């Protein structure tokens, strides 16, 4: 497959540069980089994917779940044949599933009744389910599971996200599959692959609008049908499809030269990770929406760390916040980015729309970059951004996307 051919994305992602990846690649090549490309805000890796197999990449993002997607697709190692892993994974999966089904027998029965009843019954079931966001019993259980070194540890989705983002039955399946993967794929290459497919399966069935800031509630017959449809999907069946889709991209040689990091972009630019790098590509967030809020379900599933969590949305309390998404701080974040990369003597390629938060803060990005670099060129093209309905707005917003090449 050629690098720019469509590769299935593991999760739907706001602000993905999939549509712009070919232009970004051209901009990167215009500075003839003599080392790897660092993708500082790599998200789900649309640009890294477009750079294969010709330019080695170091992906980086503040959200840790993105790193397992990157490792599974872009990094080194030979996978075991899935046919060899499948029987033992399925066995472990069924073991834990049966255990959890027995433990949650009565709530599963109530869920089954609610799914067949009128929309109000389903809405009431969803509102009253005792998850960690509202129930002290669930929080107490989460504290116990967090330190368990037995199978009891595998109950996170059921305690955090059931009867909302997933049905109770699906949450049990998600926990059971995580247990099976942790037990049967301890080698890192297989574990990354399976966990990436597990997250992608969760994304596929999730009762949410693409991002996970909140789940879809039931307020009438139409939403009842949507929730029923989402909740009827079987995690195991979707997982076995995603395992096949989650291919290793590029060539083995290309993957051997790649790396994946999980750090604040403003910290990593002064670290060893940039030693010998040929060019920095930056695609910072451009709205006041913090990605950690919109993708918290994946983050908590991936980390499986039973975080403190409150409210109906069940957000983790330690969400990462970035100055790039704060109007009063966005200018200093850009200044730090430009001066940090400039200090390393590395060219910078940056994509940012004309209606980004920086312009709302009254700052001209071209002027800002020109004050740090001797040469800045700009290429613009119109584009519709996918917002996935963030901030309750439209699904698509028209904008001009700018690519700045600074050297
Ligand atoms: C516009 S998206 C990038 C999309 C990516 N280019 C793609 O095609 O998938 C911005 C990304 O920056 C990440 N992010 C936000 N602030 C960050 C920071 N200070 N350091 C590192 N990553 C950050 C977000 O988690 C998000 O994935």
């Amino acid at each position: 497959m050629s690098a720019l051919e469509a590769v299935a994305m593991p999760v739907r992602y706001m602000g993905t540069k999939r549509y712009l990846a070919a232009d970004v690649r051209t901009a990167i090549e215009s500075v003839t980089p003599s080392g790897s490309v660092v993708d500082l805000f790599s998200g789900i890796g649309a640009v890294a994917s477009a750079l294969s197999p010709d330019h080695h990449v170091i992906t980086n993002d503040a959200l840790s779940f993105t790193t397992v997607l990157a490792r599974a697709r872009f990094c080194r190692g030979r996978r075991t044949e899935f046919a060899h892993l499948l029987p033992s994974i399925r066995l472990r999966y069924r073991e834990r599933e049966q255990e959890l089904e027995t433990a949650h027998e009565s709530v599963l029965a109530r869920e089954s009744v609610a799914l067949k009843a009128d929309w109000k019954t389903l809405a009431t079931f969803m509102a009253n389910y005792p998850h960690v966001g509202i129930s002290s019993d669930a929080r107490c259980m989460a504290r116990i599971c967090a330190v368990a070194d037995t199978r009891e540890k595998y109950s996170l989705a059921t305690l955090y996200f059931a009867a909302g983002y997933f049905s109770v039955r699906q949450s049990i399946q998600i926990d059971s599959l995580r247990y099976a993967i942790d037990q049967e794929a301890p080698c890192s290459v297989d574990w990354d692959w399976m966990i990436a497919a597990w997250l992608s399966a969760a994304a596929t069935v999730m009762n949410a609008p693409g991002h996970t800031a909140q789940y879809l509630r039931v307020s009438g017959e139409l939403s009842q049908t949507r929730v029923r449809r989402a909740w009827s999907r079987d995690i195991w069946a979707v997982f076995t499809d995603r395992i096949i889709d989650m291919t290793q991209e590029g060539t083995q040689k290309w993957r051997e030269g790649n790396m994946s990091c999980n750090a604040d972009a403003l910290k990593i630019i002064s670290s060893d990770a940039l030693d010998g790098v040929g060019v920095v590509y930056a695609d910072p967030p451009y709205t006041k929406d913090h990605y950690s809020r919109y993708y918290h379900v994946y983050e908590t599933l991936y980390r499986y760390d039973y975080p403190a969590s409150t409210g109906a949305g069940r957000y983790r309390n330690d969400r990462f916040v970035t100055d790039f998404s704060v109007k009063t701080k966005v200018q200093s974040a850009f200044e730090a980015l430009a001066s940090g990369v400039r200090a390393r003597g590395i060219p910078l390629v940056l994509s940012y729309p004309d209606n980004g938060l920086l312009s709302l803060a009254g700052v001209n990005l071209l002027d800002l970059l020109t004050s740090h670099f001797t040469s800045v060129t700009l290429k613009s093209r119109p584009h519709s951004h996918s917002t996935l309905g963030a901030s309750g707005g439209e699904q698509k917003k028209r904008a001009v996307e700018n690519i700045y090449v600074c050297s």
Side-chain angles (χ1 to χ4, degrees):
M1 185 184 307
S2 90
L4 298 180
E5 248 173 73
V7 173
M9 287 294 136
V11 302
R12 290 178 69 200
Y13 209 62
M14 286 183 330
T16 175
K17 291 301 169 296
R18 204 173 176 194
Y19 62 91
L20 200 70
D23 291 343
V24 172
R25 181 182 163 129
T26 306
I28 284 170
E29 288 178 337
S30 73
V31 300
T32 49
S34 55
S36 299
V37 179
V38 173
D39 186 350
L40 271 190
F41 304 82
S42 54
I44 53 161
V47 168
S49 177
L51 291 170
S52 92
D54 305 311
H55 305 279
H56 290 302
V57 283
I58 300 173
T59 56
N60 176 66
D61 201 280
L63 292 181
S64 62
F65 79 89
T66 65
T67 62
V68 78
L69 304 178
R71 290 197 304 272
R73 294 161 63 208
F74 310 135
C75 292
R76 79 179 76 199
R78 282 192 187 278
R79 294 172 173 177
T80 309
E81 282 284 319
F82 184 52
H84 291 153
L85 296 171
L86 182 69
S88 44
I89 296 216
R90 189 168 39 208
L91 191 75
R92 296 275 192 186
Y93 170 72
R94 297 289 176 217
E95 241 171 51
R96 183 64 182 147
E97 188 187 30
Q98 265 173 19
E99 224 167 50
L100 284 169
E101 277 178 0
T102 307
H104 295 278
E105 202 174 356
S106 68
V107 73
L108 282 169
R110 287 204 303 283
E111 177 171 270
S112 179
V113 170
L115 278 167
K116 288 182 199 123
D118 56 78
W119 70 264
K120 284 188 180 148
T121 309
L122 182 56
T124 308
F125 174 77
M126 291 173 91
N128 294 340
Y129 180 82
H131 57 80
V132 289
I134 57 168
S135 154
S136 52
D137 283 354
R139 279 197 282 272
C140 176
M141 200 58 213
R143 280 195 292 277
I144 294 169
C145 294
V147 293
D149 53 8
T150 60
R151 284 208 288 254
E152 292 307 305
K153 178 180 165 194
Y154 294 93
S155 294
L156 179 142
T158 313
L159 287 167
Y160 281 68
F161 302 126
Y165 297 95
F166 310 103
S167 68
V168 178
R169 184 169 299 284
Q170 287 171 329
S171 304
I172 286 174
Q173 294 170 347
I174 288 169
D175 287 326
S176 307
L177 193 47
R178 176 63 181 248
Y179 164 70
I181 295 169
D182 283 359
Q183 297 304 308
E184 295 298 328
C187 129
S188 60
V189 183
D190 291 333
W191 189 85
D192 288 346
W193 174 30
M194 309 253 148
I195 293 294
W198 172 73
L199 285 175
S200 184
T204 307
V205 306
M206 195 174 318
N207 171 39
H211 61 70
T212 73
Q214 51 192 305
Y215 56 88
L216 300 174
R217 282 154 218 270
V218 171
S219 55
E221 284 174 12
L222 191 64
S223 44
Q224 176 193 28
T225 307
R226 278 205 207 110
V227 172
R228 271 187 186 151
R229 197 184 308 128
W231 281 12
S232 68
R233 301 192 68 180
D234 180 75
I235 297 289
W236 177 263
V238 180
F239 170 72
T240 50
D241 285 345
R242 293 293 164 270
I243 270 289
I244 295 160
D245 296 344
M246 195 63 63
T247 49
Q248 289 182 300
E249 293 183 31
T251 57
Q252 200 187 328
K253 187 163 171 246
W254 178 69
R255 292 193 298 274
E256 271 168 16
N258 297 339
M259 207 171 91
S260 167
C261 306
N262 169 218
D264 186 328
L266 294 181
K267 294 208 172 114
I268 211 166
I269 50 179
S270 55
S271 76
D272 304 353
L274 257 68
D275 291 352
V277 155
V279 55
V280 171
Y281 168 59
D283 182 28
Y286 46 83
T287 70
K288 60 179 176 33
D289 300 319
H290 290 275
Y291 274 75
S292 54
R293 172 159 180 263
Y294 285 82
Y295 293 92
H296 74 98
V297 175
Y298 302 118
E299 192 65 359
T300 297
L301 285 180
Y302 171 65
R303 288 165 69 172
Y304 218 83
D305 58 351
Y306 290 93
S309 162
T310 39
R314 313 164 203 196
Y315 306 125
R316 43 188 313 126
N317 288 359
D318 62 353
R319 292 195 315 276
F320 177 81
V321 289
T322 177
D323 289 354
F324 287 95
S325 294
V326 179
K327 198 170 169 187
T328 52
K329 297 182 177 169
V330 61
Q331 177 174 5
S332 55
F334 269 89
E335 298 279 4
L337 173 67
S339 64
V341 177
R342 173 71 189 88
R344 301 294 300 256
I346 305 171
L348 170 69
V349 173
L350 192 136
S351 49
Y352 202 71
D354 63 342
N355 61 352
L357 194 61
L358 191 64
S359 22
L360 300 183
V363 180
N364 181 306
L365 182 51
L366 187 60
D367 291 346
L368 186 153
L369 293 171
T370 309
S371 71
H372 291 277
F373 292 88
T374 29
S375 156
V376 181
T377 58
L378 167 61
K379 191 176 161 195
S380 305
R381 62 172 263 190
H383 171 67
S384 293
H385 279 147
S386 64
T387 67
L388 302 178
S391 305
E394 322 146 77
Q395 288 284 321
K396 296 254 177 210
K397 261 191 194 150
R398 291 212 65 74
V400 172
E401 190 66 66
N402 298 313
I403 302 178
Y404 302 84
V405 179
C406 318
S407 49

